[in-house]
Amino acid sequence: PDVIIEAQFDDNDAEHGQDHLQDTLTDDIKKLSLGSGEKGKSAGVTGVPRTKQDDGPKVSDPRLLPDEFLQRTAKVVYILEKKHSRAATGFIKLLADRNSELFKRCAMFSPVDHRVPRVYVPLADCPADFVTKPEAYSQTLFICRIVDWKEDSNFASGQLCKSLGQAGEIEPESEGILTEYGVDFSDFSPEVLECLPQNLPWVISPGELAKRRDLR
């Protein structure tokens, strides 16, 4: 592919026109391809390795390639809507580098969901004795909310919202899942409770049953 084929153009070629020149070039290319194939076979016998780049033609202009050989690329230019709640359930631990300035200010939050990045959280949000006894909180679930993620940082920045409790128990795990997906599980307000029947036990009246479809 790196060899430029030059055809000898004489009066005979001019008489036969461009078609004859095209046939000449095609024959020369076939000979070149056959010669490179034979070289490849002989190289395999002598033990000289062939690289993957030796196979096939090299195309400098990607516009000449068929669409199925091209990888389309794109760039995010705007976030239209933030679908994620920015809340995550996980564990906190001290930073590995104890001599860094960041160690004195932040702790590392590791989400249970590995699709969410790890987060720097302020030590002020952590329990008071976390620095002296970090192992006491190794199995405690926390809720963290991401507030920022700079382009030049591998870790996001966030704030600890609350401690859920021991990992593996039903209530902390359930509360963490509901919070992550933005489900409001707070108690109903008095206004909502007033809409419910007040005279208990409540039963459906025969007249109401007559105009409804019974799916029981």
Side-chain angles (χ1 to χ4, degrees), residues 155-215:
F155 307 110
S157 301
Q159 293 179 340
L160 282 185
C161 298
K162 63 180 297 187
S163 172
L164 297 178
Q166 194 72 9
E169 297 182 358
I170 293 178
E171 288 189 8
E173 297 279 359
S174 300
E175 183 177 348
I177 293 173
L178 294 173
T179 304
E180 286 182 8
Y181 286 92
V183 179
D184 184 8
F185 57 94
S186 59
D187 294 336
F188 290 112
S189 63
E191 292 78 13
V192 174
L193 295 176
E194 289 176 359
C195 298
L196 300 176
Q198 304 300 317
N199 298 324
L200 301 177
W202 178 78
V203 293
I204 303 176
S205 63
E208 193 69 26
L209 279 175
K211 60 183 180 181
R212 291 176 179 265
R213 183 180 177 185
D214 193 349
L215 298 176

Side-chain angles (χ1 to χ4, degrees), residues 95 102 107-111 114-121 146 148-158:
L95 299 180
L102 196 61
M108 178 64 70
F109 176 84
S110 298
H114 297 292
R115 296 173 298 179
V116 181
R118 286 182 289 176
V119 185
Y120 287 134
V121 294
I146 297 175
D148 191 18
W149 191 0
K150 298 185 181 300
E151 295 180 359
D152 57 350
S153 176
N154 292 329
F155 307 110
S157 301

